Amino acid sequence: MSGLLDIIGSHPASRPALEGMGMLLGYGELCEQVKRKADSLRGLHARTGGVMAITMIDSPAWIVTQLGCLLAEVPLLPIPPFFTEAQRRHALQDAGAAWLLDDGQAAPVATGISPRPFPAGTSLITYTSGSTRTPKGVCLGADHLETVASSLVELLGAQAGKHRTLLPLAVLLENIAGVHVSLLAGACCHVAPVAQDGPSIWQALESSQATTCILVPEMLKRLLSVRKPLPHLRFAAVGGAKVAPALLEEAHARGIPVFEGYGLSEAGSVIAVNTPEASRRGSVGRLLPHVRLHPASDGEIMIEHPRMLGYLGAEGSGEAGCVPNPYPTGDLGRIDGDGFLYLTGRAKNVLITGFGRNVFPEWVESELLAEPAIAQAMVFGDGEAALMAVIVARSAAEAGRAVEQANLRLPDYARVGRWLLADEPFTPQNGQLTGTGRPKRDAIAARYQSRFPNEAKLTNETGDRRHGVL
């Protein structure tokens, strides 16, 4: 990724590049620290090879380490803070992480883990936070990541400003679309951990006077619960999971410039995004300049000439032809004549009711999440006479009414017939949510499916009936 580092070095040396955690680095000092870090990392890598893992808290030092790895051509494995201990151990072993850099360490420490083979040219290993308990390691090259960041700058414009990181740096979306885009554009990036409650998110944006940020839908919902303005904010991207249209409408009505985007780890993060200059209701945005997609005959979106290098441990990974071309995203949708992408659901998530009707659960969930009383929802019911939902409610007393209101906006075959209140919120820590906010459907269904009442009435877990909806 020499292009990124060259561009960073071309910005005025005194211009602020990174701030946060008591640090303020201009572009000149950033370049010097990156060079020093790269020199130290080359020596370690020459001794054992293998991958460098990082579990530091979010800070400018985290970014210096990553850029140092890029310059030294040392593959980096960021470990997300929301990984369970079992997932953390799996990632370290799976990637053959020979070195680990954590907070409180002056230098990386040897893990004793033997290096493992991975695709040639791998610069970054990011683990998917998909629907399984064991995440998969996606191997990405420096040129690929630089192309994504450059395309975003081309689409969004290289406007000076300040980006506030809100997602963990180990999340590819924040790392590439947030930090790398900011550095390419010559902007300042404020980096520090942020609590995930609404007041903390608002305070982080307001105190830093951020002009840009990246959110997942649940974070946006929590931010909107704080009824205070953000006059400096010019662009907030939201993605990682399905965004309820009503949530976007509320944000715009409140003067918060939120724009939906879409991507996946295998594509190096972002594929499409709406912008202030080009936005279409119902779409996830216009395709990035380098992206070529087309829908298959069944509607699944396919990526032409994917650039990922492969998955860790996959047979033939890194060899020619090991990554399918075109690459199936697993998402269904269409692309209009102006390059805007519209998604309808996940191919593997489609539910076929007992009456033979196809229903995308994301559609029903978006209507449930549009209700203020509902914080999270997961819908299932393949082969059932009526759909079922597990709901995390902000107000348990209002949950039944909220389901009724959502059902009024849905056709009869897509209405929720049975529901119950979750024991606790869906979180990455309990294995029921990905790091970007997608529900882990298999895990949630496994926990709650047996607890649903058998009768096809709109019923909550205590047996109270809600009539007049089916």
Side-chain angles (χ1 to χ4, degrees):
M1 196 177 253
S2 60
L4 170 64
L5 299 172
D6 288 343
I7 293 174
I8 290 174
S10 71
H11 297 313
S14 60
R15 179 183 293 176
L18 298 174
E19 68 178 26
M21 304 296 289
M23 295 180 66
L24 175 60
L25 298 180
Y27 275 91
E29 178 61 21
L30 171 61
C31 289
E32 289 301 317
Q33 289 201 17
V34 169
K35 290 174 184 176
R36 290 196 294 269
K37 179 64 68 174
D39 289 341
S40 66
L41 293 172
R42 284 192 190 97
L44 291 176
H45 192 62
R47 288 163 53 187
T48 62
V51 171
M52 175 72 65
I54 182 171
T55 55
M56 296 168 60
I57 63 170
D58 292 352
S59 67
W62 196 108
I63 297 171
V64 168
T65 298
Q66 181 190 26
L67 295 178
C69 284
L70 286 171
L71 184 58
E73 298 184 348
V74 176
L76 182 68
L77 169 64
I79 303 290
F82 50 78
F83 266 20
T84 64
E85 183 58 31
Q87 289 176 327
R88 182 178 181 273
R89 289 196 303 269
H90 165 76
L92 292 171
Q93 292 285 345
D94 190 44
W99 301 92
L100 174 65
L101 185 60
D102 200 354
D103 290 299
Q105 298 172 350
V109 297
T111 63
I113 298 172
S114 300
R116 297 189 60 188
F118 51 81
T122 297
S123 289
L124 185 70
I125 300 170
T126 184
Y127 274 81
T128 62
S129 51
S131 59
T132 61
R133 289 185 179 272
T134 304
K136 294 188 297 183
V138 179
C139 299
L140 302 170
D143 290 345
H144 182 186
L145 299 176
E146 185 177 321
T147 297
V148 174
S150 297
S151 281
L152 281 165
V153 172
E154 181 180 344
L155 195 66
L156 297 170
Q159 301 176 0
K162 184 180 291 185
H163 179 80
R164 180 56 164 98
T165 60
L166 298 175
L167 301 173
L169 291 175
V171 172
L172 190 66
L173 177 61
E174 185 69 83
N175 188 231
I176 303 304
V179 176
H180 287 194
V181 167
S182 295
L183 296 178
L184 276 176
C188 181
C189 195
H190 188 113
V191 186
V194 181
Q196 299 298 288
D197 60 279
S200 295
I201 296 169
W202 180 88
Q203 180 62 34
L205 293 171
E206 176 60 19
S207 61
S208 64
Q209 297 187 357
T211 58
T212 66
C213 69
I214 299 173
L215 302 155
V216 296
E218 180 59 25
M219 292 173 69
L220 174 58
K221 183 178 285 189
R222 294 176 184 181
L223 176 60
L224 291 175
S225 70
V226 181
R227 297 190 168 273
K228 297 180 181 179
L230 289 167
H232 302 286
L233 195 64
R234 297 200 304 260
F235 177 81
V238 60
K242 176 67 176 176
V243 187
L247 195 62
L248 294 171
E249 291 171 4
E250 181 184 353
H252 283 284
R254 298 260 303 277
I256 298 179
V258 175
F259 298 89
E260 187 173 8
Y262 164 74
L264 63 160
S265 298
E266 290 82 350
S269 182
V270 181
I271 286 176
V273 66
N274 285 292
T275 69
E277 292 75 26
S279 179
R280 292 211 173 154
R281 181 186 176 90
S283 83
V284 292
R286 179 174 278 167
L287 301 182
L288 268 58
H290 73 280
V291 174
R292 299 292 181 269
L293 304 181
H294 72 267
S297 58
D298 63 355
E300 183 173 5
I301 296 297
M302 313 292 286
I303 303 175
E304 297 178 14
H305 306 296
R307 302 186 181 205
M308 69 172 286
L309 300 176
Y311 294 106
L312 281 175
E315 185 176 354
S317 186
E319 300 175 4
C322 74
V323 178
N325 181 30
Y327 181 84
T329 64
D331 292 301
L332 304 174
R334 64 181 178 86
I335 304 168
D336 70 16
D338 294 320
F340 284 86
L341 177 61
Y342 298 77
L343 299 180
T344 54
R346 290 284 293 172
K348 69 177 182 179
N349 290 343
V350 64
L351 303 175
I352 303 177
T353 71
F355 296 102
R357 301 299 299 270
N358 290 359
V359 179
F360 295 114
E362 296 90 348
W363 167 37
V364 181
E365 288 160 3
S366 70
E367 293 296 340
L368 291 169
L369 294 173
E371 294 296 320
I374 297 178
Q376 295 173 300
M378 199 281 283
V379 171
F380 60 101
D382 196 50
E384 299 287 337
L387 299 181
M388 297 174 281
V390 179
I391 289 171
V392 176
R394 286 193 175 86
S395 169
E398 297 294 326
R401 180 62 177 167
V403 175
E404 291 178 354
Q405 289 300 308
N407 275 344
L408 291 175
R409 299 189 294 271
L410 293 163
D412 56 359
Y413 66 87
R415 292 174 179 170
V416 174
R418 290 173 280 172
W419 64 275
L420 56 77
L421 292 173
D423 299 329
E424 58 183 345
F426 311 149
T427 67
Q429 288 71 31
N430 63 21
Q432 296 173 14
L433 197 71
T434 70
T436 57
R438 296 178 188 267
K440 290 192 173 185
R441 299 180 181 279
D442 291 346
I444 297 170
R447 177 162 178 174
Y448 293 105
Q449 191 163 7
S450 64
R451 289 165 48 180
F452 276 87
N454 292 323
E455 66 272 20
K457 293 288 184 182
L458 186 61
T459 311
N460 71 7
E461 62 182 339
T462 64
D464 297 333
R465 297 293 179 85
R466 314 285 181 181
H467 293 290
V469 178
L470 296 180

